[in-house]
Amino acid sequence: METLLAELRAAVGAAGVLTDTDVTASYQRDMMPLAPHGTPLAVVFPTETSQVQAVVRACARARTPIVPRGAGSGLSGAANAIDGCVVLVTTKMNNIIEVDPDNRLAVVEPGVINLDLRDAVEKHGLFYPPDPSSYDWCTIGGNLSTNAGGLCCVKYGVTTDSVLGLEVVLADGELLKTGRRTVKGVAGYDLTKLFIGSEGTLGVITKATLALRPLPQAPSTLVAAFPTTAQAGAAVSRIIKEGLVPSLMEIMDRSSIEAVERYLKTELGAGPGCAALLICQSDAGAEAAQRELTKIDTICHDAGADLVYATHDLSEGRDLLTARRAVLTALEVYGSWLTDDVCVPRTRIAELIQGCEDISKEVGLRIAVVGHAGDGNMHPTIVYDPTSPAEFARAQKAFDDILAVGLALGGTVTGEHGIGKIKRDWLATEIGPVGLRVHRDIKRALDPENLFNPGSMFSAT
């Protein structure tokens, strides 16, 4: 291993290689407490693609696994270290290489923070749509590797919908260029989409060409309070059926509302009898936004909403979104949390929330549900005492039970966080033996020595 460490230092410089276990401990895992993690041999910080290539080749010669990592904001254990691995952190590769306003694209390195990219392209009247809740500190590389979603997916899609091409370092150290800079392009297999969402199991992304959109109009916001989750679910279904596409449509259950109001020391206006709160935004602008929200207002009232309130005031809209984004932090008042990531057909959101309420009663733990009603991606969040082995075990059971409910409702076990090391068995259940075999065949073709992130997503055999 001393030979490998010497080669790593030669590749990225001595300061770019960490081996002190007190320091490397902070790079052992992401934000998912249930996922297993190990102790890395070293943590390396390349600053350019050639350094990534040198690190990969050195690790390949030493038969030492590599775990690519961004900022560590993930929630599936996809970037968790295994014993003796090299954690390759891309946060220092943080250059916005190019913004091309005429062709509406940007070329960036993987360590660029999502919000920094948004701010940079906004100066050109452009918009980068993907917006995970951690957008103020998560990186583009991590977003690409997990195919991250966010609050605006209902209108703008997930990360893959904004990617034109990639540069990826393969297991032999070669640099693969995928995709294009043009609006259209169908030459060969779509290798770009193969690497997006692969969670670092097939290569290390070192550059991305991203599609941008014109900057939308300032959003108008609507909030609707419902006495039952079934009524909120009915409103969501009808909004979709009517062909309305708000730029954002979020739902919060009673437990989420109570936690946020206590944390922010404010009332959301939902009232004591509110079982579900729906937050919608339209960025269509002016009269178009007014028409869209008016239709949503009518639908919500028809579905039985106790209160519907719309505002064109940006400050009020930001306050409502702040409350939505603060849910996980608010739940820390009650204990530690772990958040699930199950996506169901939009017509079955209310059934999932009810299922989570039933599981909460069964395991005796608080479960708050918040999520993206526009695309059915829900985030049930389980609160527990990590010092209690019994509560930890009940939290694990609740986590799995929620996934089972999601699949039973015709859903998927992950809508945006990924499989990682926490849902490996669930991936096999969802895609079946043929799907799993194809995954393994692709992995062996691109990474025959199982160098990249072994044990994440699925086992090699």
Side-chain angles (χ1 to χ4, degrees):
M1 291 300 102
E2 287 304 319
T3 300
L4 173 57
L5 290 173
E7 291 184 351
L8 295 176
R9 293 183 181 111
V12 303
V17 180
L18 306 179
T19 57
D20 184 336
T21 54
D22 289 338
V23 179
T24 61
S26 60
Y27 296 93
Q28 289 180 343
R29 69 172 183 88
D30 63 14
M31 300 291 288
M32 168 49 71
L34 291 184
H37 64 272
T39 302
L41 169 72
V43 177
V44 299
F45 295 85
T47 58
E48 57 187 48
T49 298
S50 62
Q51 292 184 353
V52 175
Q53 292 177 282
V55 169
V56 168
R57 287 174 175 141
C59 289
R61 286 191 294 270
R63 296 182 177 273
T64 297
I66 297 171
V67 176
R69 175 189 169 98
S73 63
L75 288 161
S76 69
N80 284 17
I82 61 174
D83 287 337
C85 76
V86 169
V87 175
L88 191 156
V89 184
T90 59
T91 52
K92 291 191 176 181
M93 299 177 67
N94 58 1
N95 293 307
I96 298 174
I97 299 168
E98 177 187 3
V99 177
D100 182 347
D102 294 336
N103 288 302
R104 295 213 304 249
L105 63 83
V107 180
V108 305
E109 291 181 328
V112 172
I113 293 172
N114 185 292
L115 181 58
D116 289 347
L117 176 60
R118 280 192 153 205
D119 290 343
V121 302
E122 185 175 332
K123 297 173 185 176
H124 299 273
L126 298 171
F127 173 54
Y128 178 64
D131 67 332
S133 292
S134 57
Y135 74 127
D136 56 346
W137 67 288
C138 66
T139 59
I140 298 297
N143 294 173
L144 293 165
S145 293
T146 58
N147 198 10
L151 277 65
C152 292
C153 292
V154 58
K155 185 171 184 177
Y156 297 108
V158 293
T159 295
T160 190
D161 298 305
S162 295
V163 183
L164 296 172
L166 300 173
E167 287 189 4
V168 185
V169 175
L170 301 176
D172 60 2
E174 291 295 306
L175 185 64
L176 171 68
K177 297 182 180 182
T178 77
R180 64 205 190 278
R181 289 173 65 100
T182 54
V183 176
K184 295 171 65 178
V186 294
Y189 294 144
D190 193 343
L191 297 179
T192 300
K193 290 190 183 298
L194 175 64
F195 284 94
I196 297 171
S198 64
E199 300 182 16
T201 61
L202 300 179
V204 182
I205 296 170
T206 56
K207 190 182 295 184
T209 301
L210 306 173
L212 306 174
R213 293 175 178 261
L215 190 66
Q217 299 294 312
S220 299
T221 306
L222 176 146
V223 59
F226 296 87
T228 70
T229 55
Q231 289 166 308
V236 170
S237 297
R238 189 175 160 199
I239 290 168
I240 301 300
K241 186 177 180 179
E242 293 287 333
L244 299 171
V245 188
S247 57
L248 176 150
M249 184 158 58
E250 297 291 295
I251 193 168
M252 299 170 63
D253 74 347
R254 189 193 313 274
S255 189
S256 299
I257 296 165
E258 290 174 352
V260 166
E261 288 184 334
R262 177 179 175 185
Y263 173 71
L264 296 178
K265 295 181 174 59
T266 186
E267 293 185 2
L268 299 180
C274 178
L277 196 68
L278 197 64
I279 304 172
C280 299
Q281 283 192 335
S282 173
D283 61 8
E287 294 180 4
Q290 179 67 49
R291 288 194 300 271
E292 193 167 51
L293 291 190
T294 297
K295 291 178 181 178
I296 293 174
D297 182 305
T298 300
I299 290 170
C300 289
H301 272 118
D302 290 347
D306 288 332
L307 172 145
V308 182
Y309 174 72
T311 178
H312 301 287
D313 184 271
L314 290 179
S315 179
E316 280 189 299
R318 278 195 294 267
D319 287 345
L320 287 167
L321 268 249
T322 296
R324 160 61 185 90
R325 292 185 187 274
V327 171
L328 293 183
T329 304
L331 289 171
E332 291 177 357
V333 172
Y334 302 101
S336 294
W337 55 259
L338 63 94
T339 188
D340 217 326
D341 169 39
V342 59
C343 190
V344 297
R346 290 169 292 193
T347 54
R348 311 200 74 173
I349 290 172
E351 293 174 78
L352 177 68
I353 294 176
Q354 182 58 56
C356 291
E357 289 182 10
D358 295 341
I359 293 168
S360 175
K361 293 175 183 176
E362 179 185 348
V363 300
L365 295 174
R366 178 187 297 268
I367 300 178
V369 183
V370 66
H372 317 310
D375 56 32
N377 191 181
M378 297 292 103
H379 298 302
T381 301
I382 306 153
V383 182
Y384 67 101
D385 179 359
T387 66
S388 167
E391 283 205 12
F392 186 67
R394 297 205 304 273
Q396 288 179 304
K397 181 181 185 306
F399 187 89
D400 286 338
D401 288 350
I402 290 167
L403 295 178
V405 170
L407 284 181
L409 292 173
T412 174
V413 296
T414 177
E416 58 189 19
H417 294 167
I419 295 296
K421 296 178 177 66
I422 192 63
K423 296 182 181 178
R424 288 195 338 172
D425 293 341
W426 287 101
L427 176 67
T429 299
E430 180 171 331
I431 67 176
V434 176
L436 191 58
R437 187 199 75 210
V438 172
H439 275 68
R440 286 171 172 158
D441 288 348
I442 293 170
K443 171 73 167 172
R444 279 192 291 267
L446 290 174
D447 184 15
E449 299 299 323
N450 200 20
L451 177 70
F452 291 123
N453 212 359
S456 195
M457 292 185 76
F458 52 88
S459 61
T461 57

